[in-house]
Amino acid sequence: QVQLTESGGKVVQAGDSLTLSCTASAGSLASYGLGWFRQVPGKPRDFLAAIKQNSGSRYYSGVHRGRFTISRDDAKNSVYLYMNRLESGDTAAYYCAAGGQISGFGLEREYEYWGQGTQVTVSS
């Protein structure tokens, strides 16, 4: 079992940068592919980025237009999302997730563990 907790969400200004963290409080992330998603009320989750275990290969959707970067630190049992030049459209709840076998296509069914989400609000 893996328990994930996101942190770092806050109210920021348009144009700011922000780094979100996701840490496993139970279990180890070293053997899992990791992903970041976001969701606004009334809409499905959007895939943002993923990073595989071992190889560390990164995958991105186009919804953030190249402004986001995913990274991991297995020694800290964590995964991060660096968000640059934030826009009002980035306002959402951000979720991290872990899956034993991920493709990089951002399919939710590939991720068996999910965090509770952290809210990012971008003011303009």
Side-chain angles (χ1 to χ4, degrees), residues 35-110:
W36 283 97
F37 298 76
R38 71 185 184 190
Q39 186 175 32
V40 298
K43 295 183 178 180
R45 275 189 286 264
D46 285 331
F47 169 67
L48 299 174
I51 183 167
K52 286 190 172 184
Q53 63 269 51
N54 300 322
S55 71
S57 298
R58 298 172 179 178
Y59 306 87
Y60 296 97
S61 73
V63 299
H64 52 76
R65 296 181 288 113
R67 296 176 294 114
F68 295 179
T69 302
I70 188 171
S71 64
R72 66 189 296 159
D73 188 341
D74 289 338
K76 295 182 178 180
N77 222 20
S78 297
V79 60
Y80 308 94
L81 183 69
Y82 170 71
M83 304 184 291
N84 189 36
R85 292 179 284 108
L86 286 163
E87 305 169 352
S88 60
D90 296 320
T91 295
Y94 285 72
Y95 298 85
C96 66
Q101 185 67 51
I102 64 170
S103 66
F105 290 107
L107 303 176
E108 292 186 35
R109 64 177 179 269
E110 298 175 344

Side-chain angles (χ1 to χ4, degrees), residues 8-37:
K10 61 188 294 186
V11 178
V12 298
Q13 295 179 309
D16 285 354
S17 296
L18 185 67
T19 299
L20 303 180
S21 299
C22 173
T23 298
S25 56
S28 174
L29 295 183
S31 298
Y32 292 90
L34 305 170
W36 283 97
F37 298 76

